[in-house]
């Protein structure tokens, strides 16, 4: 298998299309990626602290915020309750026993983030409902005491659908975090950014790029001026529009029975189990309120929404009206909605994520999108709106769509169908929870790794509970980012290691190193007859091509020595055309010297490689090797 070929064995990877109904052949096995020098991390549930790899000279460009929301760990205010608000939880880092750090000797060559928008106000219909609930309580209850005292002077003032100031900061933090994790790429490349067309999603993308830009300006290693404000491709959410970041095409899924009612039915059963005791307590504490089960859910919803409406994310007094165990029950209620609405609990749920999955595969393999579901073919066939070969990508979407995408990818396929009558912990659900998977500003990272010194070694990456990464390391050879000074001739690296340095934008340095090495030994060995006077400018031009996503082949930007009877398109002289200076016999020029120097020389079959501009001794025998 080639260095970046990909074979995927996923529990949910078999699809057939019949109208908008895509059926899954589901396996209960763990999702597995078999890769060659390739790794995939999905961290929608957690985001590790900024990784410091072998190539790191980056320093954090920001000061940690003093309150309990930070770039590294996310929202940690009263985590015993705030991490149990379902999809309304602010982003927070979930602890994991498995490190998210890049393994020694490896480096990230590709990084895609898929993100939910930041914290927002309730939807228009919900904000009207919440306002009515508050008005009803205040009209019916004569006195508010104790933990309910704040209600006496409380006026509902939440907006509708808009990103809050707190949500804006979440996304700025996300951009800073992304830059920090991938600074070796980010200091040289800007991300390609897409956003689904909802205003809060587009604004979230803008805030993310603001954070990325802020971090780049503060990075002393950043190369040149970046292209901020970065272009953002906005994908329409208009009815009938193909959009892999927002579902709305499949009528059977959106409005057809029984699919559109599976989630609400599951939630209704659990609602009848956990809400009655809470409703009874509230109605006792607030005589005359006569709160219904749905009223109780509305009051619980106000806790996270009023919290994220505060610029600093101060915990709302609504939160203290409920006990810790009641918040765990609430979180499970919201998790049931996601699992049976857009995940494996709904036969059509994961199908809504197939389009993005195929787009991701196209980016990972640098190949055209092959999809017949929800991709926008107009956008995906245009290099301006769906470029391949980029190092950094950022897409912005919604919680429901991310849930479907995770399922299409085969994540959480060890999670058994959730009970609608008994609460299950995240340990029992193998990490599945709405708060863990799709909180406000949730993000999933998809990384491609290349590891030095690994020849046809395969890593097994399991994507299971908590979207954790499990990697079996296999004898990685560590190389340093900066080669030693010329003169240390003990330094030797193979072609793959050289390509790693070239990928990091160092072909000009490699050329300088090679030139210095030749000058140091050639007076004794006399093996090099001429140096290319344009070597450094050629290296710089090739580096610029690579930075723009153009790669000519596996030897792009790598310095080499060729025999002087081969003509080149530069200022160098050659012996081609001189019958007195003939010689292109590969065996004597390459194979034999290689043998005595413990190297590998290759003499291809005559005709397999071009002999253009080469004067052979024998037309039947000589070939370029």
């Amino acid at each position: 298998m080639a260095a970046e070929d990909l074979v995927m064995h996923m529990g949910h990877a078999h699809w057939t299309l019949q109208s908008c109904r895509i059926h899954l052949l589901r396996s209960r096995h763990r999702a597995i990626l078999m890769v060659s020098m390739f790794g995939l991390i999905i961290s929608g549930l957690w985001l590790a602290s900024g990784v410091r790899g072998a190539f790191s000279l980056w320093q954090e460009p920001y000061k940690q915020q003093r309150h309990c929301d930070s770039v590294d760990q996310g929202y940690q205010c009263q985590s015993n309750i705030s991490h149990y608000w379902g999809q309304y939880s602010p982003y927070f880092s979930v602890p994991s026993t498995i490190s998210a750090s890049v393994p020694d000797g490896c480096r990230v060559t590709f990084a895609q983030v898929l993100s939910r928008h930041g914290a927002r106000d309730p939807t228009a219909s919900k904000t009207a409902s919440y306002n009515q609930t508050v008005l009803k309580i205040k009209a019916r209850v004569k006195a508010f005491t104790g933990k309910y005292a704040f209600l006496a002077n409380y006026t509902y003032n939440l907006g509708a659908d808009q990103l809050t100031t707190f949500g804006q900061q979440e996304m700025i933090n996300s951009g800073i975090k992304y830059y920090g994790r991938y600074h070796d790429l980010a200091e040289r490349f800007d991300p390609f950014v897409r956003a689904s067309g909802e205003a809060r999603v587009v604004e979230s993308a803008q805030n993310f790029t603001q954070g990325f830009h802020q971090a780049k300006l503060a990075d002393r290693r950043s190369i040149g001026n970046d292209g901020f404000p970065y272009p953002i491709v906005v994908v329409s959410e208009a009815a009938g529009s193909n959009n892999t970041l927002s579902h709305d095409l499949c009528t059977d899924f959106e409005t057809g029975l029984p699919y559109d009612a599976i989630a609400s039915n599951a939630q209704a059963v659990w609602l009848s189990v956990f809400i009655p005791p809470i409703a009874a307590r509230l109605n006792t504490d607030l005589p005359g309120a006569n709160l219904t089960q749905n009223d109780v859910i509305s009051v619980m919803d106000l806790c996270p929404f009023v919290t994220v409406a505060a610029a600093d994310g101060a915990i709302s007094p609504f939160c203290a009206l409920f006990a810790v165990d009641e918040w765990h029950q609430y979180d499970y209620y919201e998790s049931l909605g996601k699992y049976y609405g857009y995940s494996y609990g709904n036969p059509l749920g994961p199908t809504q994520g197939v389009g993005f999955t195929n787009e991701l595969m196209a980016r990972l393999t640098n190949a055209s999108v092959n999809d017949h579901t929800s991709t926008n073919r107009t956008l995906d066939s245009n290099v301006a709106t769906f470029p391949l070969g980029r190092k950094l990508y950022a897409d912005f979407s919604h919680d429901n769509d991310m849930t479907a995408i995770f399922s299409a990818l085969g994540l959480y396929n060890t999670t058994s169908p959730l009970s609608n009558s008994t609460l299950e912990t995240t340990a029992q659900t193998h990490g599945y929870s709405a708060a863990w998977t799709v909180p406000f500003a949730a993000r999933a990272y998809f990384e491609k790794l290349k590891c030095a010194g690994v020849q046809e070694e395969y890593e097994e990456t399991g994507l299971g509970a908590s979207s954790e990464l499990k990697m079996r390391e296999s004898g990685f050879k560590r190389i340093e980012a900066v080669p030693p000074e010329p003169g240390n001739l003990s330094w030797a690296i193979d072609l793959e290691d050289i390509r790693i340095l070239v990928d990091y934008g160092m072909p000009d340095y490699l050329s300088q190193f090679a030139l210095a090495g030749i000058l140091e030994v050639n007076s004794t060995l006399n093996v090099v007859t001429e140096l290319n006077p344009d070597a450094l400018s050629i290296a710089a031009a090739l580096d610029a091509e690579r930075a723009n996503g153009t790669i000519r082949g596996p030897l792009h930007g790598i310095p080499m020595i060729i025999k002087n009877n081969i003509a080149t398109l530069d200022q160098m002289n050659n012996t081609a055309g001189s019958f007195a200076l003939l010689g292109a016999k590969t065996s004597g020029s390459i194979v034999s010297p290689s043998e005595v120097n413990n190297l590998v020389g290759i003499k291809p079959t005559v005709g397999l490689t071009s002999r253009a501009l080469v004067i052979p001794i024998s037309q039947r025998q000589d070939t370029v090797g």
Side-chain angles (χ1 to χ4, degrees), residues 600-620:
V600 176
I602 299 176
K603 178 183 180 181
T605 302
V606 175
L608 288 183
T609 57
S610 172
R611 290 195 301 194
L613 301 180
V614 174
I615 306 299
I617 293 177
S618 169
Q619 293 284 354
R620 298 181 179 180

Side-chain angles (χ1 to χ4, degrees), residues 42 44 70 73 81 83 132 136 147 157 172 280 303 307 352 390 470 511 516 518 521 543:
I42 294 185
S70 69
Q73 298 299 316
I81 64 170
H83 294 180
Q132 289 302 312
K136 181 169 65 176
K147 60 186 178 183
N157 60 0
I172 292 173
C303 162
T307 295
Q352 308 307 298
R390 299 289 288 266
K470 290 187 176 180
S511 297
I518 291 171
V521 302
D543 186 29

Side-chain angles (χ1 to χ4, degrees), residues 117 161 194-206 232-238 241-247 379 396-398 401:
H117 56 76
D161 292 303
R194 289 191 312 175
S196 195
E198 186 77 26
R200 62 178 179 269
V201 181
V202 177
E203 186 179 356
S204 292
Q206 293 169 337
I232 299 176
V233 174
V234 178
V235 187
S236 173
E237 292 188 13
S241 296
N242 283 37
N243 185 344
T244 60
L245 301 173
S246 179
H247 67 91
L379 297 179
F396 297 87
S397 182
H398 303 272
D401 303 280

